[in-house]
Amino acid sequence: MSDAFCGDCRRQTEVVFDHSAGDTVCSECGLVLESHSIDETSEWRTFANESGDNDPVRVGGPTNPLLTDGGLSTVIAKPNGASAEFLSSSLGRWQNRGANPDRGLILAFKTIATMSDRLGLVATIKDRANEIYKRVEDQKSSRGRNQDALLAACLYIACRQEDKPRTVKELCSVANGATKKEIGRAKEYIVKQLGLEKGQSVEMGTIHAGDFMRRFCSNLGMNNQVVKAAQEAVQKSEEFDIRRSPISIAAAVIYIITQLSDDKKPLKDISVATGVAEGTIRNSYKDLYPHVSKIIPNWYAKEEDLKNLSSP
């Protein structure tokens, strides 16, 4: 309930809103103060019961500025029942004749959305990937290229630019069969095209080993204390000139931290969780080993524990 001025009562009274009629009624005298009000809240009524669709939304999605018609085009669905076959086929033929110029973009955006959902990416990254793909597509130079690799590369660049990087191996797992090499080539192609469009190099953002740490630790089921130690260690590791990729350093730090804990993780499990080969983790461990006493937090492991670490 809320208060409003009633003309009959001549004072502020409590009013009741009748949602079914759209009327605002005085609770004391029953006078209708306002009728046929417009409810501006979300509308979830469904008319899809006949088709068995459980989606409660009967309105379209938001407008998309990347599409020619803003994403507000109409699609004629096939009605149920044999009697409607003639009508359906006729309307369907006319609809196909007026081909939607954005059909390719819509399919690409749906694929990007699927990849994003499978990777658990936020909407801002998905929107950035859509924008990157649209800019590349507008240049009409991507014909003949692997479409899945191109879309995965757009997501990779979007993640980098939003400071939420993903490994190429992670992109491969959702890229419908596109290989690491194909995604790498597509990424170089997109960066080149966007650079030509802007006349300057494309900002990709810097990758740090710490960007991957929490996700990798979560994949391994590590507890909060161990995760905290790993994050502090990987930040300290940036102070040294360790010429390894950030992903390899993150994997090696996780290996060191788990070896110092009660819940030791096999090298094979760390390799699977991080996507880094076991040999690469061993080599990164060799590079980190001389700096272990300065990298591992004092509260996590004593000097005696560090001496017990196996030498590479």
Side-chain angles (χ1 to χ4, degrees), residues 91-104:
L91 292 177
R93 280 198 300 268
W94 281 106
Q95 183 168 269
N96 290 333
R97 285 177 186 174
N100 186 349
D102 291 330
R103 183 175 298 175

Side-chain angles (χ1 to χ4, degrees), residues 8-26:
D8 279 7
C9 300
R10 295 185 179 180
R11 59 187 174 84
Q12 291 281 340
T13 60
E14 286 188 347
V15 295
V16 178
F17 185 72
D18 184 353
H19 292 273
S20 60
D23 296 338
T24 303
V25 184
C26 174

Side-chain angles (χ1 to χ4, degrees), residues 105-175:
L105 277 179
I106 293 171
L107 290 174
F109 293 166
K110 283 182 179 178
T111 304
I112 288 175
T114 302
M115 290 181 181
S116 300
D117 290 342
R118 290 175 65 185
L119 288 172
L121 302 177
V122 296
T124 50
I125 294 176
K126 181 191 71 175
D127 294 340
R128 176 65 67 93
N130 288 344
E131 182 186 341
I132 292 170
Y133 179 78
K134 177 68 164 61
R135 285 165 58 189
V136 173
E137 187 66 18
D138 284 346
Q139 296 183 29
K140 307 293 182 185
S141 59
S142 61
R143 185 167 303 221
R145 293 184 175 272
N146 186 323
Q147 186 74 355
D148 290 318
L150 203 64
L151 297 175
C154 289
L155 262 182
Y156 176 82
I157 295 170
C159 289
R160 289 276 300 267
Q161 292 181 344
E162 293 292 329
D163 294 325
K164 302 291 181 183
R166 290 291 190 273
T167 66
V168 178
K169 213 160 191 176
E170 287 176 294
L171 269 302
C172 282
S173 66
V174 299

Side-chain angles (χ1 to χ4, degrees), residues 59-114:
V59 294
T63 58
N64 189 339
L66 299 178
L67 300 177
T68 305
D69 57 8
L72 300 177
S73 59
T74 301
V75 177
I76 303 171
K78 292 183 179 180
N80 296 326
S83 61
E85 286 182 2
F86 174 77
L87 175 65
S88 173
S89 60
S90 300
L91 292 177
R93 280 198 300 268
W94 281 106
Q95 183 168 269
N96 290 333
R97 285 177 186 174
N100 186 349
D102 291 330
R103 183 175 298 175
L105 277 179
I106 293 171
L107 290 174
F109 293 166
K110 283 182 179 178
T111 304
I112 288 175
T114 302

Side-chain angles (χ1 to χ4, degrees), residues 41-47 55-62 71-72:
T41 59
S42 299
E43 192 264 324
W44 297 109
R45 188 174 176 185
T46 177
F47 289 86
D55 184 6
V57 183
R58 73 176 179 119
V59 294
L72 300 177

